[in-house]
Amino acid sequence: MRLLLWHCERLEYSDKSPSTRPIGIGQQLGPKMTGVFDNTIAAFTCVEVDDDDQVVVQAGDSIVALAHQLKNSTVVIVPFAHLSKRLAPPDVATSLLEDLETTLRNQKLRVQRTSFGYHKDFALSFRSCGHPGSVAFRSFRSDKG
């Protein structure tokens, strides 16, 4: 699992069109969505082929640690396949993203998850660019991967 974490003053997104890749993604599509979030940690998340529950725990721990460091309890999980070429099948990816959301909620964070499988328009406004934790990249692998 790969995470690109940004501390955002504001995150806006709007679904535009369904993605056609990878094969099978259409079965995971929900309705088109839009969203606006203020003072949030945007967790751009890519689920990889060997990811499992162990990776979800590691990723969750990392996000929780950043949230505590920033004294911010709001996280938006943004599925973002562009961080890897080793993508998990869409059904596995959506399941592990749901597990990540649950993991973060269990740590008392406010969590939203954007739609899966859509091309999106984004508008990001960053908080105090350059402060520690304003941008972070994390990569996790399971023991089997």
Side-chain angles (χ1 to χ4, degrees), residues 20-131:
T20 58
R21 293 178 294 172
I23 293 173
I25 197 166
Q27 297 171 0
Q28 300 302 311
L29 293 178
K32 280 187 174 183
M33 297 170 55
T34 62
V36 177
F37 308 94
D38 291 317
N39 189 22
T40 190
I41 297 169
F44 285 75
T45 308
C46 182
V47 180
E48 295 181 296
V49 71
D50 292 325
D51 288 350
D52 57 17
D53 293 339
Q54 171 191 354
V55 171
V56 170
V57 170
Q58 293 170 1
D61 288 348
S62 183
I63 293 170
V64 168
L66 180 63
H68 289 155
Q69 175 188 337
L70 298 175
K71 296 179 176 49
N72 189 316
S73 62
T74 304
V75 176
V76 178
I77 299 170
V78 182
F80 199 68
H82 308 283
L83 294 175
S84 177
K85 292 182 179 182
R86 303 177 58 248
L87 300 178
D91 59 328
V92 172
T94 54
S95 177
L96 291 178
L97 290 168
E98 290 169 1
D99 292 350
L100 179 60
E101 180 179 2
T102 299
T103 297
L104 297 175
R105 285 185 193 282
N106 288 342
Q107 292 297 316
K108 309 301 183 219
L109 296 177
R110 291 186 301 266
V111 185
Q112 294 289 323
R113 190 166 31 95
T114 68
S115 56
F116 182 89
Y118 283 94
H119 298 287
K120 297 172 179 55
D121 281 345
F122 285 104
L124 302 168
S125 174
F126 299 103
R127 294 183 59 88
S128 307
C129 249
H131 73 75

Side-chain angles (χ1 to χ4, degrees), residues 123-145:
L124 302 168
S125 174
F126 299 103
R127 294 183 59 88
S128 307
C129 249
H131 73 75
S134 62
V135 178
F137 174 77
R138 303 284 186 267
S139 181
F140 305 95
R141 288 261 169 100
S142 74
D143 292 335
K144 66 180 180 185

